[in-house]
């Protein structure tokens, strides 16, 4: 059963680079007739160059952005134009892990306060023991509750971002470039953590990235975005084995090969 469906979604945003004419800004089309579906428990990679619309698509799937055209369906319910109040019961079931945890975590709040706010907003247990258990699931010690975001490493902050999302036991998570900017070993740790939590919780995952090597490892299906449209989509193994467009072939050709190891022939 499909959990998330976007049917011919288009998204327009104000063009902030141009002056207001006749009281209105010119509109820019960020997404054009995009249709995708994500099944329960499935991981779908959304890949593209900078400016391809992949982050805008992820935020639209969560109804952080309201589509200008088309239909957005979550678990069989049309949420395309629901008000904020009407969306509240669904917010717990759909969460986002942001690219930059430094900017998405309130620097004035401790990690404990950030988790308390997320849990309390949805009426969940926010006592110390509950928050410590959440941190333990992402590999952070109880002492992290009393720390501020700037006192943590980049990898630790991203673990907090994951903890905040999974604390609500969502059915669907959008992970937006969550390992960009991290060193290779920390990337691997964060990805292993995310994959383990996904399997444990059975949640659907939209994994946004420009790194096809990571998508190849993590995702069941892949969607290639270009200039706000879908250039290609399919099962990950099929797309990598036999890409159907020159654009996808170029992206795959740009994947760096692993460094030769001692003993390789």
């Amino acid at each position: 059963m499909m959990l998330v469906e976007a049917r011919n979604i288009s998204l327009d945003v104000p063009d902030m680079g141009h002056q207001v004419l006749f009281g209105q800004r010119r509109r820019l089309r960020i997404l054009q007739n995009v249709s995708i579906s994500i099944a329960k428990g499935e991981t779908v990679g959304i890949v593209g160059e900078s400016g391809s619309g992949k982050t805008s698509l992820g935020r639209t799937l969560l109804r952080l952005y309201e589509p200008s055209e088309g239909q957005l369906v979550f678990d069989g319910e049309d949420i395309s134009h629901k008000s904020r109040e009407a969306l509240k019961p669904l917010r717990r079931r759909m969460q986002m892990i942001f690219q930059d945890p430094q900017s998405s975590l309130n620097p004035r709040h401790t990690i404990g306060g950030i988790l308390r706010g997320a849990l309390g907003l949805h009426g969940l247990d926010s006592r110390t023991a509950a928050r410590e258990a959440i941190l333990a699931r992402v590999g952070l010690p109880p002492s992290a509750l009393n720390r501020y975001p700037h006192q943590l490493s980049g990898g630790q902050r991203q673990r907090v971002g994951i903890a905040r999302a999974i604390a609500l036991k969502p059915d669907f998570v959008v992970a937006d470039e969550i390992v960009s900017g991290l060193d290779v070993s920390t990337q691997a740790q964060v990805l292993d953590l995310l994959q383990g939590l996904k399997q444990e919780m059975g949640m659907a995952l939209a994994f946004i990235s420009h790194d096809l090597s990571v998508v190849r490892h993590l995702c069941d299906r892949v969607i290639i975005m270009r200039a706000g449209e879908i250039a290609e989509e399919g099962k990950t193994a099929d797309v990598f084995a036999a890409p159907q467009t020159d654009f996808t072939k170029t992206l795959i050709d740009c994947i760096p090969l692993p460094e030769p190891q001692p003993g390789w022939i």
Side-chain angles (χ1 to χ4, degrees), residues 97-170:
I97 306 170
F98 295 92
Q99 176 178 358
D100 181 10
Q102 180 68 36
S103 61
S104 64
L105 300 175
N106 192 324
R108 298 184 179 182
H109 290 176
T110 63
I111 304 308
I114 289 169
L115 291 179
R116 185 191 300 113
L119 292 163
L121 182 65
H122 295 277
L124 301 177
D125 185 358
S126 61
R127 291 173 294 182
T128 299
R131 288 177 287 147
E132 288 178 347
I134 293 166
L135 289 183
R137 294 182 73 186
V138 298
L140 291 175
S143 59
L145 286 177
N146 299 315
R147 297 180 185 173
Y148 289 87
H150 74 271
Q151 296 175 311
L152 303 178
S153 68
Q156 289 172 327
R157 285 194 293 268
Q158 196 55 278
R159 287 173 184 266
V160 172
I162 294 172
R164 181 172 59 181
I166 63 104
L168 304 179
K169 300 179 181 178

Side-chain angles (χ1 to χ4, degrees), residues 233-252:
E233 63 179 309
K235 291 183 179 179
T236 304
D238 294 342
V239 171
F240 276 82
Q244 300 300 302
T245 68
D246 290 338
F247 179 69
T248 303
K249 291 176 185 177
T250 300
L251 289 180
I252 292 174

Side-chain angles (χ1 to χ4, degrees), residues 49-124:
E49 300 170 314
S50 295
S52 63
K54 56 187 186 294
T55 292
S56 295
L57 175 58
R59 294 189 177 208
T60 303
L61 292 177
L62 295 175
R63 250 309 306 276
L64 298 177
Y65 295 159
E66 181 176 338
S68 305
E69 296 176 7
Q71 187 180 34
L72 186 62
V73 178
F74 181 78
D75 201 12
E77 185 176 357
D78 188 338
I79 63 169
S80 308
H81 305 292
K82 277 185 176 290
S83 66
R84 286 188 178 184
E85 190 66 27
L87 279 170
K88 276 186 179 180
L90 295 175
R91 284 297 180 204
R92 175 180 166 183
R93 300 180 60 195
M94 51 173 76
Q95 290 293 307
M96 187 163 191
I97 306 170
F98 295 92
Q99 176 178 358
D100 181 10
Q102 180 68 36
S103 61
S104 64
L105 300 175
N106 192 324
R108 298 184 179 182
H109 290 176
T110 63
I111 304 308
I114 289 169
L115 291 179
R116 185 191 300 113
L119 292 163
L121 182 65
H122 295 277
L124 301 177

Side-chain angles (χ1 to χ4, degrees), residues 182-200:
L182 301 179
D183 62 69
V184 174
S185 63
T186 304
Q187 283 185 17
Q189 293 170 11
V190 171
L191 290 172
D192 285 345
L193 169 64
L194 182 64
Q195 191 168 29
L197 289 169
K198 177 198 169 294
Q199 292 172 350
E200 174 191 334

Side-chain angles (χ1 to χ4, degrees), residues 34-46:
V34 174
S35 295
I36 71 169
S37 58
I38 303 175
K40 293 183 177 181
E42 185 180 31
T43 299
V44 175
I46 302 175

